[in-house]
Amino acid sequence: MTSPTGFAFAGAQPTTSSTSVGGGGADDYYKAAAGHTGPALKTALHTIIRTQQKLGYDQVWDALKATDEDPANAANVVLLYSGRSQSKSGNGGGADNWNREHVWAKSHGDFGTATGPGTDLHHLRPEDVSVNADRGNKDFDQGGSPAAEAPGNFTDGDSWEPRDAVKGDVARMLFYMAVRYQGGDGFADLELNDSVNNGTKPYQGRLSVLRNWHAQDPPDAFERRRNQVIYETYQRNRNPFIDHPEWVSAIWG
């Protein structure tokens, strides 16, 4: 096991505690979604999570040092794909530095690093510079050759498969983005599809694989803590699919 993110509660479908959101708790935060399913649930969740504080791209550096802190070493962050624990101060653009990986590739919808989807912490993670470049803007799918510098990851010409311990994390970040960004805020309507090679279209795939990864790798303590730090300290919104994993099938079948 290469990372604290690997400690998942196998077979469990965790729920948010009544105190984790503050105020009236998680039930209050998601009150408007109660009783909905399918497109109505997606719309209700969008309305809830679109209310957020927004960061500039430079602010993301410091935020990631808090959201992705290694629970075994407070001086380090855990890199998403490689699983390496690395000094928080080792960020930048040089070889073996870590930088800001957009899990929803920023070219998929052409939002770049603009404040909004380009700076949303719910899909930004620290990653080794060269591993980040290797993933590029590829969609997510099974298979390929082993990725250099990222044991357990695989890649080919049009897709990236992350290591097992974060497959569900990746899926839930993409589910969040597809619900949060619905064509408002001056940005494209981001949607999931079952394709690869989506290019600059506002789509990310492959949905069927992401659904499987979500089921195989349920939210763990690292992911739930990250969701809470983003909510409490930075954006004041949450990833509902970490709090309620069952909502993935309620929306995407």
Side-chain angles (χ1 to χ4, degrees), residues 63 162 194 198 248:
D194 215 37
N198 278 304
V248 170

Side-chain angles (χ1 to χ4, degrees), residues 177-249:
M177 292 292 283
V179 170
R180 169 59 186 88
Y181 297 98
Q182 293 285 295
D185 308 308
F187 298 104
D189 179 3
L190 305 183
E191 296 293 344
L192 296 167
N193 65 13
D194 215 37
S195 300
V196 292
N197 279 322
N198 278 304
T200 60
K201 297 175 183 177
Y203 307 126
Q204 187 81 56
R206 181 182 302 266
L207 176 57
S208 58
V209 171
L210 296 170
R211 289 176 57 227
N212 288 338
W213 290 352
H214 167 68
Q216 293 165 7
D217 174 35
D220 62 14
F222 187 97
E223 195 178 357
R224 292 196 299 273
R225 175 194 172 275
R226 189 176 196 279
N227 196 27
Q228 188 66 16
V229 171
I230 293 171
Y231 174 79
E232 289 183 342
T233 307
Y234 296 102
Q235 294 187 181
R236 303 299 300 168
N237 73 339
R238 303 183 68 82
N239 183 332
F241 306 105
I242 297 172
D243 294 328
H244 286 275
E246 72 277 9
W247 282 344
V248 170
S249 60

